PDB file of all heavy atoms in Angstrom:
ATOM      1  N   THR A   1      59.190-203.612  99.061  1.00 73.00           N
ATOM      2  CA  THR A   1      58.208-204.636  99.501  1.00 73.00           C
ATOM      3  C   THR A   1      57.555-205.286  98.375  1.00 73.00           C
ATOM      4  O   THR A   1      56.802-206.319  98.694  1.00 73.00           O
ATOM      5  CB  THR A   1      57.188-203.932 100.475  1.00 73.00           C
ATOM      6  OG1 THR A   1      56.413-202.938  99.816  1.00 73.00           O
ATOM      7  CG2 THR A   1      57.925-203.208 101.642  1.00 73.00           C
ATOM      8  N   SER A   2      57.769-204.888  97.123  1.00 76.00           N
ATOM      9  CA  SER A   2      57.024-205.445  96.042  1.00 76.00           C
ATOM     10  C   SER A   2      57.910-206.302  95.166  1.00 76.00           C
ATOM     11  O   SER A   2      57.493-207.177  94.461  1.00 76.00           O
ATOM     12  CB  SER A   2      56.360-204.294  95.122  1.00 76.00           C
ATOM     13  OG  SER A   2      55.588-203.436  95.889  1.00 76.00           O
ATOM     14  N   LEU A   3      59.234-206.024  95.202  1.00 84.00           N
ATOM     15  CA  LEU A   3      60.249-206.849  94.515  1.00 84.00           C
ATOM     16  C   LEU A   3      60.639-207.926  95.478  1.00 84.00           C
ATOM     17  O   LEU A   3      61.072-207.687  96.612  1.00 84.00           O
ATOM     18  CB  LEU A   3      61.293-205.983  94.033  1.00 84.00           C
ATOM     19  CG  LEU A   3      61.057-204.946  93.011  1.00 84.00           C
ATOM     20  CD1 LEU A   3      62.145-203.921  92.815  1.00 84.00           C
ATOM     21  CD2 LEU A   3      60.527-205.574  91.682  1.00 84.00           C
ATOM     22  N   ASN A   4      60.858-209.112  94.914  1.00 86.00           N
ATOM     23  CA  ASN A   4      61.296-210.306  95.728  1.00 86.00           C
ATOM     24  C   ASN A   4      62.829-210.153  95.900  1.00 86.00           C
ATOM     25  O   ASN A   4      63.539-210.083  94.924  1.00 86.00           O
ATOM     26  CB  ASN A   4      60.851-211.593  95.020  1.00 86.00           C
ATOM     27  CG  ASN A   4      61.162-212.835  95.940  1.00 86.00           C
ATOM     28  OD1 ASN A   4      62.101-212.812  96.651  1.00 86.00           O
ATOM     29  ND2 ASN A   4      60.226-213.702  95.875  1.00 86.00           N
ATOM     30  N   PRO A   5      63.322-210.127  97.178  1.00 88.00           N
ATOM     31  CA  PRO A   5      64.761-209.839  97.344  1.00 88.00           C
ATOM     32  C   PRO A   5      65.576-211.006  96.858  1.00 88.00           C
ATOM     33  O   PRO A   5      66.920-210.807  96.780  1.00 88.00           O
ATOM     34  CB  PRO A   5      64.862-209.629  98.915  1.00 88.00           C
ATOM     35  CG  PRO A   5      63.603-210.306  99.434  1.00 88.00           C
ATOM     36  CD  PRO A   5      62.531-210.169  98.434  1.00 88.00           C
ATOM     37  N   VAL A   6      65.141-212.214  96.740  1.00 90.00           N
ATOM     38  CA  VAL A   6      66.012-213.384  96.378  1.00 90.00           C
ATOM     39  C   VAL A   6      65.970-213.634  94.905  1.00 90.00           C
ATOM     40  O   VAL A   6      66.629-214.723  94.501  1.00 90.00           O
ATOM     41  CB  VAL A   6      65.532-214.606  97.152  1.00 90.00           C
ATOM     42  CG1 VAL A   6      65.576-214.297  98.662  1.00 90.00           C
ATOM     43  CG2 VAL A   6      64.068-215.085  96.703  1.00 90.00           C
ATOM     44  N   TYR A   7      65.302-212.890  94.069  1.00 90.00           N
ATOM     45  CA  TYR A   7      65.351-213.130  92.513  1.00 90.00           C
ATOM     46  C   TYR A   7      65.938-211.971  91.946  1.00 90.00           C
ATOM     47  O   TYR A   7      65.717-210.697  92.350  1.00 90.00           O
ATOM     48  CB  TYR A   7      63.957-213.414  92.084  1.00 90.00           C
ATOM     49  CG  TYR A   7      63.436-214.719  92.472  1.00 90.00           C
ATOM     50  CD1 TYR A   7      62.516-214.943  93.453  1.00 90.00           C
ATOM     51  CD2 TYR A   7      63.780-215.947  91.676  1.00 90.00           C
ATOM     52  CE1 TYR A   7      62.050-216.176  93.923  1.00 90.00           C
ATOM     53  CE2 TYR A   7      63.324-217.089  92.075  1.00 90.00           C
ATOM     54  CZ  TYR A   7      62.456-217.247  93.138  1.00 90.00           C
ATOM     55  OH  TYR A   7      61.971-218.465  93.531  1.00 90.00           O
ATOM     56  N   LYS A   8      66.738-212.158  90.894  1.00 91.00           N
ATOM     57  CA  LYS A   8      67.270-211.022  90.150  1.00 91.00           C
ATOM     58  C   LYS A   8      66.104-210.210  89.510  1.00 91.00           C
ATOM     59  O   LYS A   8      65.029-210.805  89.204  1.00 91.00           O
ATOM     60  CB  LYS A   8      68.174-211.474  88.951  1.00 91.00           C
ATOM     61  CG  LYS A   8      69.446-212.155  89.610  1.00 91.00           C
ATOM     62  CD  LYS A   8      70.312-212.848  88.506  1.00 91.00           C
ATOM     63  CE  LYS A   8      71.472-213.552  89.114  1.00 91.00           C
ATOM     64  NZ  LYS A   8      72.284-214.272  88.064  1.00 91.00           N
ATOM     65  N   VAL A   9      66.325-208.923  89.298  1.00 90.00           N
ATOM     66  CA  VAL A   9      65.349-207.998  88.834  1.00 90.00           C
ATOM     67  C   VAL A   9      64.835-208.399  87.434  1.00 90.00           C
ATOM     68  O   VAL A   9      63.600-208.446  87.160  1.00 90.00           O
ATOM     69  CB  VAL A   9      65.884-206.541  88.809  1.00 90.00           C
ATOM     70  CG1 VAL A   9      64.906-205.650  87.947  1.00 90.00           C
ATOM     71  CG2 VAL A   9      66.064-206.097  90.170  1.00 90.00           C
ATOM     72  N   GLY A  10      65.684-208.723  86.588  1.00 91.00           N
ATOM     73  CA  GLY A  10      65.320-209.169  85.192  1.00 91.00           C
ATOM     74  C   GLY A  10      64.458-210.422  85.155  1.00 91.00           C
ATOM     75  O   GLY A  10      63.592-210.561  84.467  1.00 91.00           O
ATOM     76  N   VAL A  11      64.804-211.371  86.050  1.00 91.00           N
ATOM     77  CA  VAL A  11      64.036-212.579  86.239  1.00 91.00           C
ATOM     78  C   VAL A  11      62.587-212.251  86.618  1.00 91.00           C
ATOM     79  O   VAL A  11      61.671-212.883  86.054  1.00 91.00           O
ATOM     80  CB  VAL A  11      64.722-213.558  87.219  1.00 91.00           C
ATOM     81  CG1 VAL A  11      63.733-214.744  87.495  1.00 91.00           C
ATOM     82  CG2 VAL A  11      65.998-213.988  86.618  1.00 91.00           C
ATOM     83  N   GLN A  12      62.378-211.255  87.532  1.00 90.00           N
ATOM     84  CA  GLN A  12      61.087-210.975  88.007  1.00 90.00           C
ATOM     85  C   GLN A  12      60.269-210.332  86.904  1.00 90.00           C
ATOM     86  O   GLN A  12      59.021-210.603  86.836  1.00 90.00           O
ATOM     87  CB  GLN A  12      61.186-210.089  89.272  1.00 90.00           C
ATOM     88  CG  GLN A  12      61.959-210.733  90.455  1.00 90.00           C
ATOM     89  CD  GLN A  12      61.836-209.951  91.666  1.00 90.00           C
ATOM     90  OE1 GLN A  12      60.702-209.470  92.136  1.00 90.00           O
ATOM     91  NE2 GLN A  12      62.997-209.655  92.262  1.00 90.00           N
ATOM     92  N   ILE A  13      60.811-209.457  86.145  1.00 90.00           N
ATOM     93  CA  ILE A  13      60.123-208.838  85.023  1.00 90.00           C
ATOM     94  C   ILE A  13      59.813-209.914  83.938  1.00 90.00           C
ATOM     95  O   ILE A  13      58.670-210.047  83.476  1.00 90.00           O
ATOM     96  CB  ILE A  13      60.923-207.755  84.393  1.00 90.00           C
ATOM     97  CG1 ILE A  13      61.172-206.659  85.421  1.00 90.00           C
ATOM     98  CG2 ILE A  13      60.165-207.103  83.180  1.00 90.00           C
ATOM     99  CD1 ILE A  13      62.125-205.574  85.003  1.00 90.00           C
ATOM    100  N   ALA A  14      60.756-210.732  83.679  1.00 90.00           N
ATOM    101  CA  ALA A  14      60.559-211.876  82.734  1.00 90.00           C
ATOM    102  C   ALA A  14      59.545-212.786  83.114  1.00 90.00           C
ATOM    103  O   ALA A  14      58.763-213.387  82.269  1.00 90.00           O
ATOM    104  CB  ALA A  14      61.910-212.556  82.428  1.00 90.00           C
ATOM    105  N   GLU A  15      59.390-213.093  84.420  1.00 88.00           N
ATOM    106  CA  GLU A  15      58.358-214.002  84.876  1.00 88.00           C
ATOM    107  C   GLU A  15      56.912-213.637  84.493  1.00 88.00           C
ATOM    108  O   GLU A  15      56.154-214.540  84.028  1.00 88.00           O
ATOM    109  CB  GLU A  15      58.517-214.112  86.399  1.00 88.00           C
ATOM    110  CG  GLU A  15      57.506-215.109  87.015  1.00 88.00           C
ATOM    111  CD  GLU A  15      57.506-215.123  88.495  1.00 88.00           C
ATOM    112  OE1 GLU A  15      58.043-214.299  89.125  1.00 88.00           O
ATOM    113  OE2 GLU A  15      57.034-216.165  89.128  1.00 88.00           O
ATOM    114  N   SER A  16      56.643-212.292  84.685  1.00 86.00           N
ATOM    115  CA  SER A  16      55.386-211.798  84.225  1.00 86.00           C
ATOM    116  C   SER A  16      55.127-212.015  82.720  1.00 86.00           C
ATOM    117  O   SER A  16      54.029-212.387  82.358  1.00 86.00           O
ATOM    118  CB  SER A  16      55.308-210.322  84.662  1.00 86.00           C
ATOM    119  OG  SER A  16      54.047-209.801  84.210  1.00 86.00           O
ATOM    120  N   LEU A  17      56.142-211.817  81.905  1.00 87.00           N
ATOM    121  CA  LEU A  17      55.986-211.982  80.474  1.00 87.00           C
ATOM    122  C   LEU A  17      55.732-213.438  80.153  1.00 87.00           C
ATOM    123  O   LEU A  17      54.896-213.822  79.175  1.00 87.00           O
ATOM    124  CB  LEU A  17      57.220-211.427  79.745  1.00 87.00           C
ATOM    125  CG  LEU A  17      57.387-209.883  79.904  1.00 87.00           C
ATOM    126  CD1 LEU A  17      58.796-209.428  79.563  1.00 87.00           C
ATOM    127  CD2 LEU A  17      56.366-209.158  78.919  1.00 87.00           C
ATOM    128  N   ARG A  18      56.501-214.386  80.755  1.00 88.00           N
ATOM    129  CA  ARG A  18      56.354-215.791  80.450  1.00 88.00           C
ATOM    130  C   ARG A  18      54.957-216.214  80.914  1.00 88.00           C
ATOM    131  O   ARG A  18      54.259-217.045  80.246  1.00 88.00           O
ATOM    132  CB  ARG A  18      57.458-216.564  81.239  1.00 88.00           C
ATOM    133  CG  ARG A  18      58.835-216.245  80.650  1.00 88.00           C
ATOM    134  CD  ARG A  18      59.876-217.042  81.391  1.00 88.00           C
ATOM    135  NE  ARG A  18      59.795-218.454  80.971  1.00 88.00           N
ATOM    136  CZ  ARG A  18      60.588-219.443  81.444  1.00 88.00           C
ATOM    137  NH1 ARG A  18      61.416-219.137  82.470  1.00 88.00           N
ATOM    138  NH2 ARG A  18      60.409-220.643  81.115  1.00 88.00           N
ATOM    139  N   LEU A  19      54.471-215.763  82.068  1.00 84.00           N
ATOM    140  CA  LEU A  19      53.231-216.201  82.583  1.00 84.00           C
ATOM    141  C   LEU A  19      52.041-215.634  81.819  1.00 84.00           C
ATOM    142  O   LEU A  19      51.151-216.428  81.441  1.00 84.00           O
ATOM    143  CB  LEU A  19      53.179-215.733  84.094  1.00 84.00           C
ATOM    144  CG  LEU A  19      51.672-216.103  84.815  1.00 84.00           C
ATOM    145  CD1 LEU A  19      51.630-217.637  84.978  1.00 84.00           C
ATOM    146  CD2 LEU A  19      51.669-215.377  86.213  1.00 84.00           C
ATOM    147  N   HIS A  20      52.129-214.423  81.465  1.00 85.00           N
ATOM    148  CA  HIS A  20      50.876-213.811  80.856  1.00 85.00           C
ATOM    149  C   HIS A  20      50.945-213.671  79.458  1.00 85.00           C
ATOM    150  O   HIS A  20      49.988-213.646  78.660  1.00 85.00           O
ATOM    151  CB  HIS A  20      50.628-212.324  81.385  1.00 85.00           C
ATOM    152  CG  HIS A  20      50.321-212.355  82.909  1.00 85.00           C
ATOM    153  ND1 HIS A  20      49.281-212.881  83.414  1.00 85.00           N
ATOM    154  CD2 HIS A  20      50.979-211.846  83.964  1.00 85.00           C
ATOM    155  CE1 HIS A  20      49.135-212.735  84.719  1.00 85.00           C
ATOM    156  NE2 HIS A  20      50.258-212.044  85.118  1.00 85.00           N
ATOM    157  N   GLU A  21      52.166-213.687  78.822  1.00 81.00           N
ATOM    158  CA  GLU A  21      52.275-213.416  77.373  1.00 81.00           C
ATOM    159  C   GLU A  21      52.781-214.686  76.690  1.00 81.00           C
ATOM    160  O   GLU A  21      52.833-214.761  75.489  1.00 81.00           O
ATOM    161  CB  GLU A  21      53.334-212.301  77.074  1.00 81.00           C
ATOM    162  CG  GLU A  21      52.922-210.971  77.733  1.00 81.00           C
ATOM    163  CD  GLU A  21      51.669-210.331  77.046  1.00 81.00           C
ATOM    164  OE1 GLU A  21      51.616-210.414  75.756  1.00 81.00           O
ATOM    165  OE2 GLU A  21      50.728-209.921  77.730  1.00 81.00           O
ATOM    166  N   GLY A  22      53.225-215.731  77.402  1.00 83.00           N
ATOM    167  CA  GLY A  22      53.553-216.914  76.812  1.00 83.00           C
ATOM    168  C   GLY A  22      54.915-216.896  76.209  1.00 83.00           C
ATOM    169  O   GLY A  22      55.211-217.837  75.333  1.00 83.00           O
ATOM    170  N   MET A  23      55.793-215.962  76.543  1.00 85.00           N
ATOM    171  CA  MET A  23      57.125-215.892  75.846  1.00 85.00           C
ATOM    172  C   MET A  23      58.056-217.018  76.409  1.00 85.00           C
ATOM    173  O   MET A  23      57.871-217.435  77.543  1.00 85.00           O
ATOM    174  CB  MET A  23      57.720-214.529  76.125  1.00 85.00           C
ATOM    175  CG  MET A  23      57.097-213.350  75.532  1.00 85.00           C
ATOM    176  SD  MET A  23      58.100-211.870  75.908  1.00 85.00           S
ATOM    177  CE  MET A  23      57.099-210.588  75.007  1.00 85.00           C
ATOM    178  N   ASP A  24      58.981-217.390  75.593  1.00 89.00           N
ATOM    179  CA  ASP A  24      60.002-218.293  76.039  1.00 89.00           C
ATOM    180  C   ASP A  24      61.072-217.480  76.838  1.00 89.00           C
ATOM    181  O   ASP A  24      61.033-216.334  76.968  1.00 89.00           O
ATOM    182  CB  ASP A  24      60.738-219.094  74.938  1.00 89.00           C
ATOM    183  CG  ASP A  24      61.469-218.145  73.925  1.00 89.00           C
ATOM    184  OD1 ASP A  24      61.947-217.117  74.309  1.00 89.00           O
ATOM    185  OD2 ASP A  24      61.447-218.492  72.714  1.00 89.00           O
ATOM    186  N   LYS A  25      61.857-218.293  77.562  1.00 89.00           N
ATOM    187  CA  LYS A  25      62.870-217.733  78.480  1.00 89.00           C
ATOM    188  C   LYS A  25      63.658-216.529  77.855  1.00 89.00           C
ATOM    189  O   LYS A  25      63.848-215.482  78.495  1.00 89.00           O
ATOM    190  CB  LYS A  25      63.684-218.767  79.050  1.00 89.00           C
ATOM    191  CG  LYS A  25      64.671-218.270  80.281  1.00 89.00           C
ATOM    192  CD  LYS A  25      65.345-219.403  80.917  1.00 89.00           C
ATOM    193  CE  LYS A  25      66.212-218.989  82.072  1.00 89.00           C
ATOM    194  NZ  LYS A  25      66.945-220.165  82.728  1.00 89.00           N
ATOM    195  N   LYS A  26      64.293-216.834  76.683  1.00 90.00           N
ATOM    196  CA  LYS A  26      65.186-215.864  76.138  1.00 90.00           C
ATOM    197  C   LYS A  26      64.435-214.577  75.683  1.00 90.00           C
ATOM    198  O   LYS A  26      64.842-213.467  75.882  1.00 90.00           O
ATOM    199  CB  LYS A  26      65.792-216.501  74.904  1.00 90.00           C
ATOM    200  CG  LYS A  26      66.925-215.499  74.287  1.00 90.00           C
ATOM    201  CD  LYS A  26      67.599-216.135  73.052  1.00 90.00           C
ATOM    202  CE  LYS A  26      68.691-215.156  72.527  1.00 90.00           C
ATOM    203  NZ  LYS A  26      68.183-213.762  72.171  1.00 90.00           N
ATOM    204  N   ALA A  27      63.194-214.744  75.020  1.00 91.00           N
ATOM    205  CA  ALA A  27      62.459-213.644  74.535  1.00 91.00           C
ATOM    206  C   ALA A  27      61.956-212.779  75.731  1.00 91.00           C
ATOM    207  O   ALA A  27      61.965-211.602  75.667  1.00 91.00           O
ATOM    208  CB  ALA A  27      61.250-214.126  73.782  1.00 91.00           C
ATOM    209  N   ALA A  28      61.659-213.421  76.784  1.00 90.00           N
ATOM    210  CA  ALA A  28      61.113-212.706  78.059  1.00 90.00           C
ATOM    211  C   ALA A  28      62.306-211.968  78.617  1.00 90.00           C
ATOM    212  O   ALA A  28      62.140-210.793  79.104  1.00 90.00           O
ATOM    213  CB  ALA A  28      60.597-213.707  78.994  1.00 90.00           C
ATOM    214  N   HIS A  29      63.494-212.573  78.713  1.00 91.00           N
ATOM    215  CA  HIS A  29      64.678-211.820  79.196  1.00 91.00           C
ATOM    216  C   HIS A  29      64.998-210.638  78.377  1.00 91.00           C
ATOM    217  O   HIS A  29      65.356-209.562  78.882  1.00 91.00           O
ATOM    218  CB  HIS A  29      65.868-212.832  79.369  1.00 91.00           C
ATOM    219  CG  HIS A  29      67.121-212.094  79.712  1.00 91.00           C
ATOM    220  ND1 HIS A  29      67.468-211.703  81.001  1.00 91.00           N
ATOM    221  CD2 HIS A  29      68.227-211.696  78.890  1.00 91.00           C
ATOM    222  CE1 HIS A  29      68.556-211.177  81.027  1.00 91.00           C
ATOM    223  NE2 HIS A  29      69.120-211.161  79.825  1.00 91.00           N
ATOM    224  N   ASP A  30      64.951-210.785  77.066  1.00 90.00           N
ATOM    225  CA  ASP A  30      65.358-209.727  76.083  1.00 90.00           C
ATOM    226  C   ASP A  30      64.377-208.537  76.287  1.00 90.00           C
ATOM    227  O   ASP A  30      64.702-207.322  76.292  1.00 90.00           O
ATOM    228  CB  ASP A  30      65.392-210.179  74.682  1.00 90.00           C
ATOM    229  CG  ASP A  30      66.553-211.161  74.405  1.00 90.00           C
ATOM    230  OD1 ASP A  30      67.439-211.226  75.114  1.00 90.00           O
ATOM    231  OD2 ASP A  30      66.487-211.847  73.381  1.00 90.00           O
ATOM    232  N   ARG A  31      63.119-208.942  76.482  1.00 91.00           N
ATOM    233  CA  ARG A  31      62.045-207.817  76.666  1.00 91.00           C
ATOM    234  C   ARG A  31      62.233-207.192  78.018  1.00 91.00           C
ATOM    235  O   ARG A  31      62.089-205.980  78.054  1.00 91.00           O
ATOM    236  CB  ARG A  31      60.685-208.485  76.499  1.00 91.00           C
ATOM    237  CG  ARG A  31      59.541-207.537  76.748  1.00 91.00           C
ATOM    238  CD  ARG A  31      59.570-206.358  75.819  1.00 91.00           C
ATOM    239  NE  ARG A  31      58.350-205.469  76.036  1.00 91.00           N
ATOM    240  CZ  ARG A  31      58.270-204.206  75.581  1.00 91.00           C
ATOM    241  NH1 ARG A  31      59.240-203.743  74.917  1.00 91.00           N
ATOM    242  NH2 ARG A  31      57.184-203.562  75.804  1.00 91.00           N
TER     243      ARG A  31
END
């Protein structure tokens, strides 16, 4: 109920990094 079913798992983790840490798309995905 906490993970969005229509987004890939990696994208959901990377979104937090891009929003709060200011990472670019590739750096966030790698992290």
Side-chain angles (χ1 to χ4, degrees):
T1 60
S2 306
L3 294 170
N4 193 319
V6 301
Y7 289 99
K8 296 175 182 178
V9 170
V11 169
Q12 296 187 57
I13 298 173
E15 180 185 19
S16 177
L17 293 164
R18 296 181 68 184
L19 176 65
H20 296 296
E21 301 294 316
M23 291 185 179
D24 61 35
K25 187 174 182 179
K26 184 180 185 307
H29 173 77
D30 291 345
R31 177 59 176 161

